[in-house]
Amino acid sequence: MKTIILNRPKAIEKYYDETKYKVFINGEMVTKLKRGEPVELKVDDDVIDIQAKVTYWGSRIERIELTDEVTEIDIARNHRFPYNNSPYIYLVVFLTALFPILRFAGGWGTLLIVVLVAAYVFYVIKYDIINRHNYILIKKHK
């Protein structure tokens, strides 16, 4: 039987976040991982498929080979994944509120609204739909 220690170290995560990540090993939820509180698990396998999720976002399924008696795995939020509270959101909401005024400004006001809404839709599709499995990173601790 091999031991896995799951870490969610505060030093890795750049932003304060107390969300609990659901951790799945070989497709089965095994624990909820809080920030700064390591979890120790026992497994029989030499290779595991591990994934972490939080609501709709999560990580890719990572295959990790357990070579030692104790294997440490770090799970943290991806710093390169943009905030969900993007400036695009605020800009689109602001300009949508100004839509009645911009509508009377002629074609340019309407065109500006259309372009910003299209940029916002692109942003949502790219980060919230296509790349939702890059929100959390899982790495074997060295």
Side-chain angles (χ1 to χ4, degrees):
M1 206 162 222
K2 299 196 180 209
T3 303
I4 299 172
I5 299 176
L6 302 174
N7 295 312
R8 192 171 159 208
K10 293 180 181 180
I12 293 177
E13 292 190 340
K14 189 175 178 182
Y15 306 104
Y16 181 78
D17 183 15
E18 288 298 325
T19 308
K20 294 179 184 177
Y21 294 166
K22 292 179 184 177
V23 179
F24 296 83
I25 293 180
N26 297 332
E28 183 178 324
M29 190 182 104
V30 293
T31 189
K32 290 185 178 181
L33 185 63
K34 286 179 73 176
R35 184 178 181 183
E37 296 180 9
V39 174
E40 187 174 309
L41 302 169
K42 303 274 187 194
V43 293
D44 294 327
D45 302 330
D46 291 334
V47 176
I48 61 167
D49 292 329
I50 186 168
Q51 183 180 26
K53 293 182 180 180
V54 56
T55 60
Y56 177 72
W57 297 277
S59 69
R60 297 187 182 279
I61 297 174
E62 298 289 336
R63 182 166 284 244
I64 295 181
E65 190 172 323
L66 308 176
T67 54
D68 304 332
E69 286 300 314
V70 176
T71 304
E72 289 190 46
I73 299 173
D74 291 333
I75 299 174
R77 184 176 182 268
N78 187 353
H79 299 303
R80 293 185 178 177
F81 198 91
Y83 279 112
N84 293 332
N85 300 333
S86 164
Y88 283 136
I89 295 170
Y90 299 121
L91 192 59
V92 168
V93 169
F94 175 73
L95 288 175
T96 304
L98 290 178
F99 181 73
I101 298 167
L102 290 175
R103 189 177 59 167
F104 295 114
W108 289 107
T110 305
L111 181 64
L112 179 64
I113 295 272
V114 168
V115 167
L116 289 172
V117 168
Y120 173 69
V121 168
F122 171 76
Y123 175 85
V124 168
I125 290 172
K126 182 176 180 188
Y127 291 110
D128 286 348
I129 296 174
I130 295 173
N131 289 327
R132 71 179 184 266
H133 296 297
N134 291 327
Y135 187 77
I136 300 171
L137 295 177
I138 298 176
K139 301 273 182 186
K140 187 174 179 180
H141 190 77
K142 296 178 182 177

